[in-house]
Amino acid sequence: MIKVILARLQQKHRTMTYPDGAPPPLPDRFRGRPVIDAAKCPDGCRACFEACPTGALDANDPARIDLGKCLFCTECAHACPQKAITHSNNYQLAARNRSELIVARERQAVEVVGAALDAKLKKLLGRSLKLRQVSAAGCNACEADTNVLGTVGWDLGRFGIQFVASPRHADGLLVTGPVSKNMELALKKTYDAVSDPRIVIAVGTCAISGGPYIGHTQVNNGVAALVPVDLYVPGCPPHPLTILDGLLRLIGRIEDGVRKG
């Protein structure tokens, strides 16, 4: 026991201070919210659109990117002859509505962030949110970054958010993966097992739109095709900070970077 105490004193406090303090440093290779310099887009150029593997760009207006389909692979940025597309360090990508995931020329200065639940749900779930995680044919990348939130460095439990083993004990679902046909019934049954009121969080591009499997006959192109979604967290996979920020904004624990409660 003494050795454990001494080791703990030597390690000191390792949980990040966010959102009371600054967010943890992001790696140099981090790819956040895309930024499009529409003025650089040459007329008639479709290089970025043709390079995108998931159709995240609009063929009629290349200065529009659907974050719900984007893999953040930077193929569009590399293909653009004028280097009009870059990726910022903005990790605040979550949104309540699917339409808010569209990055367009007229919204360059607008942050896409998840708004809080309505007052009733916020009162019920804002202090204690239990989630059942459903891996609906995911590759485990989104699952891994979600699991990181349970480590001592992130300590998701300090916000009252926990993952539970049974949907009977959950307030909602956190779903990853494109929802394959084989997982369709399992997802529906898990959703039905959660009592009302319940919420659903789609984490990762696959869960939002099908990701690289979009249009395949064996997937449902995301969660929304089967159950209603309350929060979309784009990324392939989304950084743990993106997931955490979206969750905290959803339950109203932070607003404009300020922690509440």
Side-chain angles (χ1 to χ4, degrees):
M1 185 64 183
I2 294 177
K3 290 183 178 180
V4 173
I5 295 174
L6 290 175
R8 186 67 186 85
L9 291 173
Q10 184 180 16
Q11 292 173 358
K12 299 182 180 180
H13 185 74
R14 295 196 175 188
T15 303
M16 68 182 68
T17 58
Y18 180 83
D20 291 331
L26 295 168
D28 294 337
R29 63 183 181 276
F30 176 75
R31 300 165 183 171
R33 176 180 169 85
V35 177
I36 309 167
D37 188 346
K40 291 183 178 180
C41 289
D43 294 336
C45 179
R46 292 164 53 93
C48 58
F49 170 76
E50 293 172 355
C52 181
T54 58
L57 290 104
D58 191 328
N60 299 317
D61 184 3
R64 292 169 62 89
I65 298 179
D66 184 350
L67 296 186
K69 294 181 178 180
C70 182
L71 301 179
F72 294 79
C73 64
T74 69
E75 288 297 321
C76 59
H78 292 310
C80 179
Q82 301 299 324
K83 306 301 179 184
I85 304 175
T86 58
H87 285 267
S88 70
N89 288 326
N90 188 349
Y91 58 86
Q92 297 174 328
L93 305 175
R96 287 295 310 279
N97 300 311
R98 181 68 177 84
S99 61
E100 293 175 346
L101 294 178
I102 305 298
V103 175
R105 66 177 79 217
E106 66 272 14
R107 298 180 61 189
Q108 288 304 297
V110 179
E111 287 186 346
V112 182
V113 295
L117 295 166
D118 61 64
K120 182 179 179 180
L121 279 176
K122 185 176 173 181
K123 184 177 180 180
L124 285 171
L125 308 177
R127 292 288 180 179
S128 178
L129 178 63
K130 312 299 182 186
L131 298 171
R132 168 62 178 168
Q133 201 274 324
V134 179
S135 178
C139 70
N140 282 332
C142 292
E143 293 85 344
D145 277 1
T146 300
N147 290 341
V148 166
L149 297 177
T151 63
V152 66
W154 297 82
D155 192 14
L156 185 64
R158 63 193 160 117
F159 305 109
I161 306 174
Q162 295 178 325
F163 291 101
V164 294
S166 170
R168 303 287 185 187
H169 304 154
D171 301 306
L173 305 180
L174 187 149
V175 187
T176 57
V179 191
S180 65
K181 295 296 183 180
N182 285 339
M183 281 298 298
E184 182 177 324
L185 180 60
L187 176 59
K188 289 180 178 178
K189 285 187 173 182
T190 306
Y191 176 78
D192 291 338
V194 181
S195 59
D196 286 323
R198 55 196 166 190
I199 63 174
V200 175
I201 301 164
V203 172
T205 302
C206 285
I208 297 174
S209 67
Y213 312 103
I214 188 170
H216 195 284
T217 57
Q218 292 302 311
V219 301
N220 286 280
N221 293 337
V223 182
L226 300 174
V227 297
V229 176
D230 297 278
L231 183 69
Y232 298 90
V233 186
C236 186
H239 192 278
L241 185 57
T242 299
I243 303 172
L244 177 61
D245 182 80
L247 290 174
L248 295 182
R249 290 179 184 277
L250 180 69
I251 61 175
R253 296 297 295 274
I254 57 173
E255 297 175 9
D256 299 324
V258 179
R259 181 175 178 179
K260 304 292 183 181

